[in-house]
Amino acid sequence: MTNKFTVRPIKPEDTPAVLSIYAPYITDAVISFEYEVPSIAEFAERINTITSEYPWLICEYNNQVIGYVYSSKHRARTAYQWSAECTAYLAADFHRLGIARILYQALFKILKLQRIINVYAGITLPNIKSEEFHKAMGFYLIGTYKNVGYKFNKWYDVGWFQLDLAGHVINPPVPKSFPMVTETAEFKAIIDAANAELGNIRRID
């Protein structure tokens, strides 16, 4: 059987599979600062809210969801509209294959298509693997929130990293919402290119 990885925009029916990937990062780690796993209904509402403005991509392996990336609003004030945050999660068995890099690259190309300029990633410290990965993707550390999160009877710092997708020009064009770009040739080319690159990954089961 040929092992096949593919990427596509999330669909409502993906919600349970995506939540099952996210849940261990809540219950067993400090990567997420949530305490309780959200219900499927709550998580579905989050996905709907986010994708009304920003991209959410999932990765499948032989038609099974094994990871995802998405962007979300950085802050609500109008002056922040050119900035977004990003998040990536993979199922435990699919790390270190280069999948996150491919998904992130596609995500950032879509954000650039939407006219987003700044992308931010918050990383619970210490997390050397994530820090080095984001630096390799072009992020740079801009500051650290000290003792900002309390989980599992311990206080944690969060490092904030920034990626510049475009120059900081005067009078930048207003960003487009995610639905406004999904039917464009540019968007389809981004997804096709990511799928072509994922096609080079082979996993031995």
Side-chain angles (χ1 to χ4, degrees), residues 13-101:
E13 55 265 34
D14 297 319
T15 301
V18 170
L19 182 57
S20 70
I21 292 170
Y22 179 47
Y25 290 95
I26 298 173
T27 58
D28 305 330
V30 294
I31 291 174
S32 170
F33 275 176
E34 292 201 69
Y35 278 24
E36 303 292 337
V37 177
S39 68
I40 290 177
E42 179 185 350
F43 204 64
E45 182 59 31
R46 292 187 195 181
I47 293 170
N48 184 60
T49 298
I50 288 170
T51 55
S52 69
E53 294 187 64
Y54 300 97
W56 190 316
L57 306 176
I58 66 160
C59 182
E60 292 181 309
Y61 175 67
N62 294 335
N63 299 315
Q64 299 295 316
V65 178
I66 56 89
Y68 63 94
V69 295
Y70 69 89
S71 284
S72 56
K73 188 184 297 291
H74 176 61
R75 293 288 188 274
R77 300 289 188 245
T78 305
Y80 288 115
Q81 64 184 300
W82 293 272
S83 298
E85 296 182 15
C86 64
T87 303
Y89 288 107
L90 293 176
D93 293 340
F94 292 88
H95 289 252
R96 299 185 181 279
L97 294 175
I99 296 170
R101 175 185 59 81

Side-chain angles (χ1 to χ4, degrees), residues 139-160:
F139 285 81
Y140 54 94
L141 180 66
I142 56 173
T144 301
Y145 289 175
K146 303 295 290 184
N147 295 316
V148 70
Y150 182 79
K151 188 174 181 181
F152 300 149
N153 300 313
K154 185 176 178 180
W155 287 98
Y156 288 92
D157 298 346
V158 171
W160 281 95

Side-chain angles (χ1 to χ4, degrees), residues 174-202:
V174 174
K176 299 178 180 180
S177 69
F178 180 52
M180 291 175 66
V181 304
T182 54
E183 297 303 319
T184 65
E186 292 88 348
F187 176 82
K188 294 175 182 178
I190 292 167
I191 298 298
D192 287 346
N195 276 316
E197 195 167 1
L198 284 169
N200 296 322
I201 296 177
R202 292 293 179 268

